[in-house]
Amino acid sequence: MAGNIQKQIVRFNFLFKRYDDIYRSAASKFDMPELVLWILYILREKDKCTQKDLEDMLFHPKQSIHSALKTLINSGYVELECSGENRRNKYIHLTEKGIVLSEDTADKIVRAENNAFATLNDEQRKTILRLFEQFTFAFQKEIQRIE
C-alpha cells in the first residue's frame, strides 16, 4: 500500500509541476516574469487590492511582490491609491495601459483556463476542487507536525 501511495504522490507531483510550468511557459510567451503575470491576473479579477492581499493570494515573499509591483508601476501599468482610512494602506489598480497589457496577457490565460475547465462537467469540476482542497489541508497539517 505504501509503495502504491508513493507512486501516486510522484505522479501527482509530476502533474502539479507540469501544471505550474504551463503558467511559466505562458509568462515566457508574453516576455514577462511569471509573478508579474500573476499580479495582472489578480488585478483583472479583483478591482482593487493591496500588496498584502497579493502576498496572501500568491504565497510569495513581500520583497518579491514589491519588486514586481515596482516594475509595473515604473512601466505605467499600475498605480497606487491611498485608502481613505489608512494612508499606509495603498490600493493597487491597473492603469489604462495596464488594462491593455492585461487583455493581451492575463485575459488570454483566463480564457484558456475556462476553456480547459469547461472540458470537465460540473460534477467533475466540483470533485477536483473538493479533493485538491482536502489534500492541500491534510498535507499542510502533516507538514506543520514536522519538528
Side-chain angles (χ1 to χ4, degrees):
M1 171 123 162
N4 193 33
I5 288 175
Q6 185 57 36
K7 286 178 185 177
Q8 291 167 336
I9 287 290
V10 168
R11 182 173 177 216
F12 176 84
N13 286 334
F14 172 76
L15 290 170
F16 189 77
K17 294 294 181 190
R18 185 180 199 183
Y19 180 80
D20 200 37
D21 188 59
I22 294 169
Y23 289 97
R24 261 191 303 281
S25 296
S28 179
K29 278 185 178 188
F30 300 135
D31 196 31
M32 66 175 49
E34 184 182 0
L35 184 54
V36 168
L37 179 61
W38 277 113
I39 290 171
L40 294 173
Y41 181 104
I42 288 171
L43 291 175
R44 287 299 279 170
E45 296 297 315
K46 191 172 177 166
D47 190 31
K48 288 184 179 179
C49 68
T50 64
Q51 181 172 331
K52 177 75 169 107
D53 293 334
L54 291 174
E55 292 165 21
D56 292 344
M57 288 185 268
L58 294 172
F59 300 96
H60 278 268
K62 181 179 183 176
Q63 187 55 43
S64 298
I65 301 287
H66 179 75
S67 295
L69 283 174
K70 262 318 218 186
T71 299
L72 288 166
I73 291 167
N74 291 340
S75 300
Y77 296 121
V78 300
E79 294 177 330
L80 300 179
E81 172 189 324
C82 288
S83 70
E85 66 274 358
N86 182 350
R87 294 192 56 80
R88 287 186 50 172
N89 197 22
K90 294 185 172 92
Y91 289 116
I92 304 158
H93 62 90
L94 293 167
T95 62
E96 287 299 318
K97 185 178 175 184
I99 291 170
V100 170
L101 177 64
S102 295
E103 289 171 347
D104 290 336
T105 57
D107 289 10
K108 290 179 179 180
I109 299 300
V110 170
R111 280 193 299 279
E113 289 171 327
N114 288 339
N115 291 341
F117 219 47
T119 65
L120 305 173
N121 67 41
D122 189 55
E123 191 58 38
Q124 290 170 321
R125 292 190 299 267
K126 287 177 183 174
T127 299
I128 200 169
L129 291 170
R130 179 179 50 78
L131 293 175
F132 188 69
E133 183 175 57
Q134 182 180 344
F135 174 75
T136 300
F137 289 132
F139 183 48
Q140 183 178 28
K141 187 176 178 180
E142 290 298 320
I143 292 296
Q144 289 170 346
R145 290 169 46 170
I146 296 174
E147 294 182 18

